[in-house]
Amino acid sequence: MKSVQAKPFSPCIFVLFEILLFLPLLFRPFRYRGAFFFPVIFGLYLSVITSTTGSQASDWSLGLTVTPQLFKALDVLVLSNAERELRRTGALAEDPKTYGTWKKLYWAAELVTTPRGIGWNWEVPYICYQGTATRGTYIRSRLPRIMFYYLLLDLVNHSNPSFSSAPIPTSSPFSIPTLLAVWSFAIGAYIQLWLVHTTPALLAVCLDLGAPSSFPYVMGPIGFMNSLRCLWGRTWHQFARRQMHTLGVWLRRKMSVAPGSWCSAYIQLCVGFAVGGVTHVLAGWMTGKHSGWHDPTNAAKFFLLQLFGVVLEDAVVEVLLGVRVVRRDWRRNHMRGGKKRFGKDEGWWRLSDWPSAFGYVWTVCWLSVTLPPYVEGLRQLGILEPHQLPFSPVDWAIKLRASRM
């Protein structure tokens, strides 16, 4: 239940917010362009995030969408010189200052709406291009997995006890009900994001609406979740990585920290989890509409614990390397052979050495301990609902079996 009455969501304000994300880039760069336009964008953002669509799940999704876009506006309008620094690659690598109005409008819209910079000079690292060599290999690599993930998501719908409004026993993270609820949520979130992006990408490639290399995997290989650092920086989506990097670089410069240093790396790490935390905290606040400051989903605690977990993991790995218990940091060198080979040898699980096997156990245990309060917060807000599927193979099989009895 919402504790304060929120104003109804205005599609007009939302559309204006989306347009103003890229429209300022049509103007010739001037010194105070960001200072002039960003406060207007921020005002529209506040109007959106303090409104309600009338649906808890829709409010949650909207909150997760608009906050990264606000950070993107901060990036391209305030922290970067977009026309000078951000270019397309290949045949489209032209100076945006030479574009006409419509061409620059297209450039600006694509710049703001592409989350990972595919085909741009700022493409984020660790994007999995496997299976994108030809249209045939793309279809063969995606179609069977789409079918498998769809069935798995349907099974998740029928296995998560929290969908029935049963409280999650957060004080017993390794109990069967908690593990089932938490990992049903985690696996369902992973699969849903994967399907939402991969299914239309496959359709676009089949219809020859884009090259297969324009639609790499939205997630990194599951095999890289053999450490917390690699889970969040390799396996999970990298939609806001550009914003995290730009804000981290700005903060590092303000603190006069040398690039490439130990301190610089951890400033970037802290900024990354801070951006993710703020995004999910505000999405939860938008959904709950609590008066005053409140974090109904415990998202701040969850992301702070992920940061602490990565720092702890780094420390333990350094100790193990120092005493020669392990000979190498298994989390490194994922880009051997160039970015086009990223993920080629890490499709599912890698159990060839004990540090990697231990890394999987460590990652699963840490998430099993830190996820329950967050998932329970989502359940209490009414966000934890079965994923909407056009057809349920599990229901069909159940009805078919019942009809034959």
Side-chain angles (χ1 to χ4, degrees), residues 312-330:
L312 176 63
E313 176 183 284
D314 288 349
V316 170
V317 169
E318 287 301 318
V319 170
L320 293 177
L321 290 171
V323 298
R324 298 183 182 278
V325 173
V326 296
R327 294 184 179 181
R328 64 178 182 86
D329 186 346
W330 68 94

Side-chain angles (χ1 to χ4, degrees), residues 202-251:
L202 176 64
L203 182 62
V205 171
C206 289
L207 298 176
D208 201 20
L209 298 178
S213 59
S214 299
F215 306 100
Y217 280 118
V218 68
M219 300 287 193
I222 296 176
F224 283 151
M225 63 175 290
N226 56 2
S227 74
L228 276 178
R229 179 177 282 276
C230 293
L231 166 67
W232 294 118
R234 311 285 192 275
T235 299
W236 199 244
H237 71 77
Q238 307 295 302
F239 290 157
R241 188 159 183 151
R242 163 73 193 184
Q243 296 93 304
M244 297 172 181
H245 173 75
T246 307
L247 193 57
V249 170
W250 175 83
L251 184 60

